[in-house]
Amino acid sequence: MSAACGMNAEASATDIEAVRGYLQGLQQRITEAIERVDGQAVFLADAWRKEPGESLQGEGLTKILEGGAVFERAGCGFSHVRGPKLPPSATQHRPELAGAPFEAMGVSLVFHPRNPYVPTVHMNVRMIAATPAGREPVCWFGGGMDLTPYYGFEEDAVHFHRSCREALVPFGPDLHARFKQWCDEYFFLKHRNEQRGVGGIFFDDFSELGFERSFALLRSVGDAFLGAYLPIVERRRGMIHGEREREFQLYRRGRYVEFNLVWDRGTHFGLQSGGRTESILLSMPPLASWSYQQTHEPGSPEEALYRHFLPRRDWLKDAV
């Protein structure tokens, strides 16, 4: 593989193919594991291709599970596209690349559970390469994972954050703190002054370790996902709940929709670049609700989510 992947280095065709192969395998491993956990529904596989003449060229595979015993809706998509011009959402931190042709590939997933005590989860790993006119190609990695509970449990948040930290330890002592802060700052609903969930890790424009090590970090994050999330699912999937919990789950899902449509750069990138709308919006929950100035009883589990779990905190500070 190339020794580096940055402002003055190019990823070879072999490098690109290695990233693609890893991402396709990751999608397959994750969807097979989720089918086993759900035990009722299976993923519908929807292969797609962008035809010549469209704003993007390329192909992908969207996998969607709906109406399961554990997951009300679970989407996991792989895409590999090419375009003549990077959209504005991809160049706001790299203005020198504005208008450059690009290539992007990644796996993105969002799982919406049926039981309100099981949190929603998001994970994304991706690589983007751009070639500005008269210059060598620039490529970078991005992604991460974050947890969005409806009812908070300390041990779940600690387990998820510990899994994220362990995935990053081999690549530098400072990365987890950086990526956790980045996640907290990114998954924030500015119009609500509110975090989307309990966070996790997030990174973008990442190539500082060179191609091989940056790609290895991407693989470590992707490979850590099932171990970070499935133990939480198993702990909470059988918890008894009623209409109150279901209504609160749908209300909080509304916040998820607001973030994805108003603030999420991945959603904006896909829509602005002419991506496949049905696949881009696979992160949307099947049902959500809004109510005007909803308040929650002091001391209730619902109020505890806002008071104890949504404010930014170091979940691993006192954890062994």
Side-chain angles (χ1 to χ4, degrees):
M1 288 189 177
S2 304
C5 182
M7 292 298 291
N8 298 306
E10 179 178 5
S12 70
T14 301
D15 295 332
I16 299 296
E17 193 59 34
V19 177
R20 178 186 170 100
Y22 168 74
L23 293 171
Q24 290 176 313
L26 178 66
Q27 181 192 38
Q28 183 69 18
R29 285 188 283 129
I30 289 174
T31 53
E32 288 177 351
I34 294 301
E35 286 180 346
R36 290 192 296 269
V37 169
D38 190 87
Q40 175 177 299
V42 298
F43 280 89
L44 168 69
D46 180 20
W48 53 269
R49 179 177 294 276
K50 303 293 287 185
E51 298 299 331
E54 296 190 54
S55 55
L56 287 180
Q57 286 73 51
E59 65 283 330
L61 179 63
T62 299
K63 291 190 172 184
I64 187 79
L65 178 154
E66 294 184 296
V70 176
F71 296 98
E72 194 168 6
R73 190 171 199 245
C76 182
F78 164 78
S79 63
H80 183 185
V81 297
R82 302 164 188 84
K85 181 179 179 181
L86 276 167
S89 59
T91 58
Q92 58 182 284
H93 300 303
R94 291 174 176 262
E96 73 279 5
L97 299 181
F102 71 97
E103 180 174 1
M105 64 177 73
V107 166
S108 183
L109 64 82
V110 176
F111 297 157
H112 292 290
R114 188 174 295 280
N115 190 316
Y117 289 110
V118 181
T120 283
V121 72
H122 159 260
M123 191 273 288
N124 172 269
V125 284
R126 60 188 180 273
M127 187 195 78
I128 301 177
T131 308
R135 299 179 58 182
E136 295 180 355
V138 178
C139 64
W140 63 93
F141 295 90
M145 64 180 98
D146 66 286
L147 196 69
T148 305
Y150 307 100
Y151 289 89
F153 295 92
E154 189 98 7
E155 65 176 314
D156 294 353
V158 170
H159 168 78
F160 191 83
H161 281 273
R162 181 183 290 118
S163 298
C164 290
R165 181 180 66 185
E166 290 175 354
L168 297 174
V169 164
F171 304 94
D174 66 321
L175 289 183
H176 177 256
R178 282 173 53 194
F179 290 0
K180 179 193 180 299
Q181 180 179 354
W182 202 338
C183 184
D184 287 339
E185 292 173 353
Y186 182 79
F187 292 104
F188 180 68
L189 287 81
K190 300 179 181 67
H191 63 292
R192 298 277 190 183
N193 193 32
E194 179 183 293
Q195 297 296 135
R196 186 170 82 170
V198 298
I201 54 174
F202 178 80
F203 62 101
D204 202 1
D205 298 341
F206 189 84
S207 60
E208 64 194 59
L209 300 180
F211 186 89
E212 290 192 33
R213 291 288 286 166
S214 297
F215 180 28
L217 183 148
L218 186 87
R219 296 197 304 271
S220 186
V221 171
D223 294 346
F225 170 74
L226 290 173
Y229 184 57
L230 291 189
I232 298 172
V233 175
E234 295 297 341
R235 277 199 294 267
R236 308 300 168 199
R237 60 183 292 180
M239 293 184 67
I240 304 301
H241 61 278
E243 190 61 30
R244 168 177 169 164
E245 290 81 10
R246 175 62 168 173
E247 289 180 357
F248 187 62
Q249 178 193 44
L250 296 183
Y251 174 71
R252 289 298 306 171
R253 280 182 179 175
R255 296 290 205 271
Y256 208 91
V257 171
E258 289 178 22
F259 178 85
N260 279 17
L261 295 182
V262 177
W263 300 110
D264 186 63
R265 283 178 60 194
T267 301
H268 297 169
F269 177 94
L271 296 177
Q272 291 172 2
S273 62
R276 186 173 184 262
T277 301
E278 196 74 7
S279 297
I280 295 165
L281 297 182
L282 64 78
S283 63
M284 294 296 105
L287 296 170
S289 69
W290 284 261
S291 62
Y292 187 73
Q293 293 185 343
Q294 186 176 110
T295 60
H296 306 287
E297 181 183 350
S300 68
E302 293 82 8
E303 188 264 346
L305 179 75
Y306 290 90
R307 174 175 48 83
H308 183 66
F309 288 90
L310 293 185
R312 299 179 190 179
R313 56 183 284 198
D314 183 354
W315 288 98
L316 300 179
K317 182 178 180 180
D318 300 317
V320 178

